[in-house]
Amino acid sequence: MRDYREFLGEVLIPEEKLQTRIAELGAQISRDYAGKSDLLLVCILRGGVLFLTDLMRRITIPHAIEFMAVSSYGVGGRESSGKIRISLDLNVDIQNRDVILVEDIIDSGQTIAAVLDLLSTRKPASICVCTLLDKADRREVPVPVKYTGFSIPNKFVFGYGLDIDDYYRNLPFIGVVDLNKYQAGS
Ligand code: IMP
Ligand code: MG
């Protein structure tokens, strides 16, 4: 695998800015859910993993975590097809629990809308979406998003959980891919 510097267009959100915003989100969630006894954070694998682990450390009220893995059918790694497949479902019952879906990025909205539809049928006390990044200009289906880290322009980004062809999720910042450079070298 190549060094990411070969195709990094720019650092869109540096590590300190990510961490500052995540601390704010954690504080906000802690206030909003104070007194709720059964908060469950559901991380959407794999992109949401870094966000979840940093966010939960900033949430000061008791909560549990769970994971779901979802993939979209039909197209390559860069766009949603609108049909999703649940490859890992929850191991717990969410009935009467307060659920927060933790996502890396909302693009067309297809993935998270389908997850919301599915989980809503299981009668949670409440369910909402917390996304680190939002490409609102790309929305194809309306999604109610309660917590947003950053609204970003319509550019392909990577790092901090987000991959390009499965790699580079470990980077501590969000970078923009220079697709010409990326494609030229592959
Ligand atoms: P949606 O269903 O179109 O909202 O797509 C959401 C999913 O597409 C995210 O959970 C990511 O896995 C992926 N995705 C969308 N935009 C990007 C990006 O810029 N970089 C990396 N993954 C992305
Ligand atoms: Mg994702």
Side-chain angles (χ1 to χ4, degrees), residues 80 103-105 107-111 135 155-157 162-163:
S80 276
E103 249 291 34
D104 53 351
I105 186 165
D107 187 26
S108 70
Q110 303 276 9
T111 307
K135 287 186 195 169
K155 291 179 176 171
F156 199 78
V157 292
L162 293 104
D163 69 304

Side-chain angles (χ1 to χ4, degrees), residues 149-166:
F150 300 89
S151 289
I152 63 164
N154 177 20
K155 291 179 176 171
F156 199 78
V157 292
F158 70 113
Y160 198 73
L162 293 104
D163 69 304
I164 320 172
D165 299 334
D166 290 329

Side-chain angles (χ1 to χ4, degrees), residues 9-141:
E10 59 170 318
V11 173
L12 188 65
I13 312 172
E15 182 173 5
E16 313 77 66
K17 222 172 139 186
L18 282 172
Q19 294 301 332
T20 301
R21 182 70 187 124
I22 292 166
E24 288 170 5
L25 290 172
Q28 182 74 50
I29 289 169
S30 305
R31 283 196 296 276
D32 292 351
Y33 289 82
K36 304 271 189 195
S37 57
D38 213 355
L39 179 59
L40 177 68
L41 307 183
V42 172
C43 174
I44 311 295
L45 294 174
R46 288 162 285 180
V49 165
L50 272 68
F51 181 36
L52 172 83
T53 55
D54 282 336
L55 180 66
M56 64 189 287
R57 279 181 274 205
R58 300 295 190 161
I59 296 178
T60 54
I61 58 173
H63 62 275
I65 60 168
E66 269 290 319
F67 296 91
M68 258 179 109
V70 181
S71 50
S72 43
Y73 281 118
V75 281
R78 302 205 187 118
E79 273 184 19
S80 276
S81 62
K83 290 189 203 126
I84 66 155
R85 188 171 61 91
I86 307 287
S87 44
L88 175 72
D89 204 342
L90 301 177
N91 277 314
V92 296
D93 190 359
I94 58 168
Q95 189 167 5
N96 297 328
R97 305 183 75 175
D98 292 293
V99 176
I100 302 179
L101 297 178
V102 179
E103 249 291 34
D104 53 351
I105 186 165
I106 302 179
D107 187 26
S108 70
Q110 303 276 9
T111 307
I112 201 72
V115 172
L116 264 177
D117 279 355
L118 173 70
L119 296 189
S120 298
T121 65
R122 300 181 188 172
K123 311 270 186 302
S126 67
I127 185 162
C128 75
V129 176
C130 175
T131 187
L132 180 66
L133 306 176
D134 188 357
K135 287 186 195 169
D137 289 348
R138 297 256 306 165
R139 203 58 40 82
E140 291 167 12
V141 287

